[in-house]
Amino acid sequence: MTYVALSAWFLGGAVVIAVIASLVAGRRRASLAGVGITVTVLVVLTAVFDTLMIATGLFHYSPGHLLGIHIGLAPLEDFAYPIAGAIMLPAVWAALRARRRSRIGSTGGEDRA
């Protein structure tokens, strides 16, 4: 399996989970602007630090499994993981908060969030 195929499966799974979590969260879903800013910051950080790690020889990729597109020294496939995290985690967090609020509301307890 190539890195791009693995990245595509990982990113696709994260998007599916994010969509389901957003539906569960309802009105309290994650902010699209916040997710966009987070994706931008993580892409920049990934480009900088992956380039540094690759340049110092901490790791390398087999060229036969890459698309050949790089940002700095970081292959394009390396950006799928931080993007997936930035898309999925806020949606899951919002869904868990919405679920917690609905559970607390139905039991008559106080919401301390």
Side-chain angles (χ1 to χ4, degrees):
M1 179 179 289
T2 62
Y3 293 124
V4 73
L6 180 62
S7 297
W9 278 104
F10 190 80
L11 192 56
V15 168
V16 168
I17 291 169
V19 167
I20 293 168
S22 292
L23 292 173
V24 169
R27 295 180 319 161
R28 298 200 181 267
R29 68 180 56 118
S31 162
L32 192 56
V35 171
I37 291 168
T38 303
V39 166
T40 303
V41 169
L42 287 176
V43 165
V44 169
L45 290 173
T46 299
V48 169
F49 288 104
D50 277 16
T51 295
L52 289 172
M53 289 186 289
I54 292 167
T56 59
L58 289 176
F59 59 91
H60 70 280
Y61 294 92
S62 171
H65 296 284
L66 295 173
L67 285 175
I69 301 169
H70 292 78
I71 298 175
L73 295 177
L76 185 63
E77 294 87 343
D78 242 10
F79 294 89
Y81 307 106
I83 291 170
I87 290 170
M88 182 181 69
L89 294 175
V92 170
W93 183 268
L96 291 173
R97 285 184 57 198
R99 184 172 171 234
R100 179 175 177 249
R101 286 177 192 246
S102 69
R103 188 175 65 229
I104 289 172
S106 67
T107 61
E110 289 185 27
D111 185 8
R112 299 176 192 218

